Amino acid sequence: MMTKYVGQRIKRNEDPRLLTGQALFVDDIQIPGMLHAGFLRSDYAHARIRRIDVTKARQRPGVIAVYTAADLGDFWKPGPLLVPAPHSIPGLIFNKRTQVPMAKDKVRHAGEALACVIAESRYIAEDAFADIEVDLEPLDPVTGLEAALAPGAPLLYEELGTNLASYVRQEKGNYAAARAQADVVLKRRIVVDRGAAAALENRGYVFWWDPKTQQMTIWATTQAPIALRNIMAGLLGLSESQVRVIAPFVGGGFGPKIMLAQPEEQVLGWATLRLGRPIKWIEDRQENFLTTTQERMQIHDVEIALTRDGKILGLQDIFIHDTGAYNSYALTVPLNTQTHTMGPYEIPNFHTEYKVVFTNRILVTPVRGAGRPQGVFVMERMLDVAARELGLDPTVIRAKNLIQPDQFPYRQGIIGQDFTELIYDSGNYPATLQMAKEMIGYDRFVREEQPRLRAEGKLVGIGVVCFTEGTAVGPYEGARVTVESSGKVNVATGVGTQGQGHFTSFAQIVADQVGVKPTDVTVTTGDTEKFHWGTGTFASRGATVAGNAINAAAAGVRAKILKLASKVLETPEQELEIVDGVVRVADIPEKSITLGQLAVIANPMRGSVEPGTEPGLESTQYFGPKYGATAAGTVAMIVEVDPDTMLVQIKRFVIAHDCGTVLNPLIVDGQIHGGVSMGIGQAFYEKLVWDENGQLLNANLGDYLLVRATDMPPIEIGHLCTPSPLNPMGTKGVGEAGAIPTPACFVQAVENALAGLGVEILETPLSPNRLYELVHG
Amino acid sequence: MKPAPFEYYAPASTDEALALLAQHGYAAKVLAGGQSLIPAMNYRLAQPAVLVDLNNVAELFYIRPAADGGVLVGAMTRTATVEHDPLIAARAPLLAEAIPHIAWPQIRNRGTFGGNVAHADPAGHLPAITVALNARYHVKGQRSDRWLSADEFFVAAFTTALEPDELLVEVALPPMPPRSGWSYRQAARQAGAEAMVGVAALVSLDERGRCASARLSYVSVGETPPVAHNAAKILNGQTPTAEAIRAAAAAAADSDVEPGADIHATAAYRRHLVRVLTRQALTEAFERAKRGDSGVEIRDLGLGDARSNLQSPIPNPQYTIPNPQSPITVTVNGTRYERAVEPRMLLSDFLRHELGLTGTHVGCEHGVCGSCTVLFDGRPIRSCLTFAIQAHGHDIRTVEGLGTVDNLHPLQEAFRDAHALQCGFCTPGFLMTLVPFLEQNPRPTEQEIRQAIAGNLCRCTGYQHIVEAVKLAAERMAGGD
């Protein structure tokens, strides 16, 4: 394929509208007669509901309706399971408990909806909360992971008799046997705490049932418009063709916007069917902290078995994973942790086992990284512990255990989030390590700079971390590419977009195939009326899975163009070329026809065509990979810790990254930068703190710290390219790359800076206060 | 997160304000900059029945030289005004040096000196700084007119000696003693975040180089800003050697403060910070005293200025007739709009939903994320922390007032070229912060750029491409493009 545009740093098609305030976001929608919803939420984390009286609220001027669980009647039921449990894993336990529309009988997390007020304005809806009488009997909450499993622990679901949501055990090789042969066995407890995805745009919806057309339109901040349509149709007893979901511009996703059938969606769908008027609900920032799904809390008990020279014989990781109050998203996150613990390393024997527990907190679902950062953190910490124990340089022990380029495809032997065996398709891990070391000047820093700076009393440290990123999983995506009579080309696909630049990268793919400029390609994503097959944007899969479907559809259109043009221009196809929207005979450029003219010819209005002719220059194609492509990389950073305050400054940050074929380096760099900043957040700033009553103490952006421009170092990126054999374009995902290794690297660098103070760090997020405690006891 | 309804008054003089406070008593709350009050109202943690807005009381906006060589600061003087004022820089450099640590430029453009002091937040910077400066607080009511010392003024956390019918109208900062030096040191987890500990130090030397006075006060380590009397005792009359400073810092940490714990810092860590920051502050202050430094340089990022007030140039009708729907006239992007609004309507909601200017985005409604940043009389502010009614008679500029899709502003063009936006939700807030910044700083350094955008959160870009876009725009704009 010609690649005039793929691979180029092309500026984005979507930017002019976003830059001028002309891009439509959900909260920008105004419809005459539109109502506004607000949800009264529980202050308690765990409580029995004695009584909710909304009589007074219904009488407030401007209030249209007030609903509680009782008002929903038969509609009230636990929502659907969004992701199946991996029943292919033997011995799996999975106790399904999915999210309900509003709390009934019992509240299971602070912020759970008790009542929905629908009013003329959001201001009035919130006024009406004061009119609602709520009588809750507080119960002891479950806030700790181990406490959840302790005998006599309060139970979220009494009928289960336990807070155990799941149990999964997987084994590759024989860890016990490996351990018996090891020279060294090291054991540690490693803890990763909870954080928020904190997209700048909170969740939001407009639900509009139009009784006259019998159609429901839903504008949603979703990563998965088609899946949302299907699920809402099912819940509301409508046909899928009666429901249109539009995800307009979405202000960041980062995982939680993949969630479906959330309480607000269920209630709003039900309410607009009743009221026949559009209803808007925009989550506010406080609700975002209390009700948008979160991630990362896990406690690992890890053991690593090695030879004296640092070769890993086996690893055992037994962990507890917090799923929060419900487990609608099943086991994607802990499965990712399992598959990413081995990372780029050869681990012949691996025993991995986890328990998932219910706690009185908002549920856990993927947040950029989705279980992967925890796995990488565990492995990388253990390698650092081992390196110290064995007197090895941290980069040497890593190099010693990396999977080599000639070992692909490499079977890891355990089941991953796509329920198939984890196989690494391709890569060159030693090259990423080497590149990162060179970029940051590892050897010189360790030999010369660090000793010199330490002699000046500066606490400087370096970290180097290798990682894999399982990306681009199935099942499939599709696309329809159409040449329009204007000569412009339209692409419609089913994935949602939240800033990844799909309007541009997809246009580049089509531009190369069809022979137009990327600016002449319009991309429609996230409108089920335009394309209604697909799954969604998650797991760093959009550019690869949808991208390859688009590539196939565009190739189909190219074939149609050439076939028709050959007839019209009376020239064999192989003598034709398509340049800037014109098909011409390569040797006689003046013998030509525009794509627009061809599109008109391809859609005859009268006369006859040969039987079997498809009209138009259009093609719809689908792509589903055999299994997910695995991207990889190495990050390195240098930090300086202020010995007085324990504040940490990142002096340098480099990443050597391999995501196969790059469609647009500008966009890939941006994805990496953003991922890294979230990783830095998780390492040092972003920690959700609950008290013993299950109350979130920092449900605001003043106390929950997102990384600011003054916290970020410049990021230096090195690109390597090992194309994936799993798809024709050779791409792999990159969306989560920065977030995955960064916490582990930060901790390693800080620990290295504090070397000599006897500090070992086995947790994130850190804080200056926590470092002070670690140093001063 | 929308405020509960309230009756709104916008008096034009101190006397009118005091009359309203006398009339409404405990039901009334004074609205100064509103940068602490409005977030609390948006969370409905504060639900005052009556708001008395002082933003039209022109006589409270001033910085004046005092006869004794000190400075008088009117209560409604914007924090940004104090930050950029040459008289403050010369006569109260401690203040000028500390103010950049208060939140972010957009907050300082709206927040006021008197409001911050009277809010008496233990984590506030200005209460402690005024204490270190030995300020006096001028309090007025219809029946009272009194000057209080810090000991008298600060009563407890969020509590001052002000009666419900009284206003803090002015703060007097006395002249610094001869041969004095100052320092402000703080430890915050990030730029603009609440200080875990802050130390304000003002010291002076006698003619033989011994410590003549040492006044230290602290942020975030007590209900009211504590004064380090024990530390001062150790230093007074002594040559401020490293050893003496170390002993004083230890005394301050061990016996002058009573820190508490919160999610960012334990009491033990705070005590540790008091020790190390006191040592740093005293060292710097004595060095300055020895060198005879006078004043500080004003750091001007172009994001706030020394104009002494932002009050409405046209009379506000709201003083006499409290009305659930109040008529206002606002100029936005050069177009004059007349609308009736409920006083509680946030400016962000007004722009977006009443005027349909949806380019201004709302991300937090408590002033932290910066997505809703707009220009208010040319200066960036948070539109979620301003009521629409307060924009009456003012000039607002939103992202819709920059370039168009077909004719981007050079900054917008640079954002596109450098891939400085991904989801684009935060972008309008960045642009509205950066336009005045670049006008004032045509050749900014990377550090200046990062400081200028520290008050705007972006979750997608890691800021790197934004910084590059600003550099690119600066180059092009300087090149006369």
Side-chain angles (χ1 to χ4, degrees), chain A residues 293-312:
Chain A
T293 58
Q294 302 167 344
E295 225 216 90
R296 304 252 204 276
M297 177 87 227
Q298 291 177 350
I299 300 174
H300 291 255
D301 286 307
V302 203
E303 216 179 79
I304 190 167
L306 309 106
T307 64
R308 198 165 307 288
D309 60 355
K311 190 85 185 134
I312 301 167

Side-chain angles (χ1 to χ4, degrees), chain B residues 122 184 330 368 377 456:
Chain B
Y184 191 74
V330 185
V368 185
D377 295 338
N456 293 76

Side-chain angles (χ1 to χ4, degrees), chain A residues 9 11-23 25-30 60 121-128 196-202 249-252 254 280 284-287 289 368 498-501 519 642-647 665-671 673-675 677-678 681 684-687 689 697-716 766-769 772-773 776, chain B residues 1-5 42-44 104 186-194 196 262-270 272-273 275-277 279-280 342 344-346 349 352-354 357-366 368-369 371 382 399-400 402-406 408 411-413 415-428 430-431 446-447 449-451 453-465 467-468:
Chain A
R9 302 178 81 86
K11 57 188 179 180
R12 303 199 314 173
N13 288 341
E14 55 267 57
D15 286 355
R17 281 162 68 200
L18 288 163
L19 284 162
T20 52
Q22 304 301 316
F25 290 86
V26 170
D27 191 27
D28 302 345
I29 288 163
Q30 291 283 17
R60 178 179 281 268
S121 80
R122 177 63 175 256
Y123 288 79
I124 296 170
E126 292 189 22
D127 293 343
L200 261 291
E201 180 199 37
N202 295 312
F249 279 98
V250 175
F254 312 119
K280 181 191 274 188
D284 63 36
R285 184 54 65 180
Q286 187 178 24
E287 291 180 295
F289 277 108
R368 196 177 208 168
Q498 309 88 40
Q500 297 90 335
T519 45
D642 182 322
D644 282 342
T645 60
M646 293 289 144
L647 288 162
L666 204 55
I667 290 173
V668 165
D669 287 358
Q671 286 289 316
H673 295 157
S677 76
M678 283 180 89
F684 200 56
Y685 297 95
E686 298 184 39
K687 181 174 176 167
V689 185
L697 299 179
N698 52 347
N700 67 76
L701 290 174
D703 285 320
Y704 183 81
L705 307 175
L706 299 185
V707 168
R708 292 184 179 275
T710 36
D711 303 319
M712 282 299 293
I715 297 163
E716 301 157 51
L766 298 168
S767 67
N769 195 156
Y772 168 80
E773 286 172 350
H776 295 271
Chain B
M1 286 181 54
K2 308 294 180 190
N42 289 355
Y43 269 93
R44 296 207 181 205
W104 308 284
Q186 61 134 28
R189 293 191 58 185
Q190 52 182 191
E194 213 168 82
M196 296 182 286
D262 62 23
I263 63 165
H264 299 297
T266 58
Y269 176 55
R270 283 211 158 90
H272 166 81
L273 287 177
R275 182 177 297 113
V276 298
L277 296 177
R279 174 168 48 74
Q280 292 177 7
E342 233 191 314
R344 64 166 162 168
M345 177 170 283
L346 300 171
D349 284 339
R352 291 176 47 73
H353 303 309
E354 297 297 312
L357 296 169
T358 53
T360 299
H361 293 152
V362 172
C364 75
E365 290 179 310
H366 50 278
V368 185
C369 81
S371 294
R382 305 288 204 224
V399 70
E400 287 91 346
L402 297 180
T404 61
V405 165
D406 299 319
L408 297 175
L411 181 62
Q412 291 169 315
E413 194 70 60
F415 261 58
R416 186 180 186 201
D417 290 340
H419 185 33
L421 64 156
Q422 290 182 29
C423 81
F425 190 82
C426 68
T427 310
F430 275 88
L431 295 172
E446 170 149 348
Q447 202 198 354
I449 296 168
R450 289 184 183 269
Q451 284 168 353
I453 58 174
N456 293 76
L457 290 173
C458 171
R459 195 60 159 161
C460 294
T461 65
Y463 306 99
Q464 183 150 330
H465 282 164
V467 172
E468 284 167 20

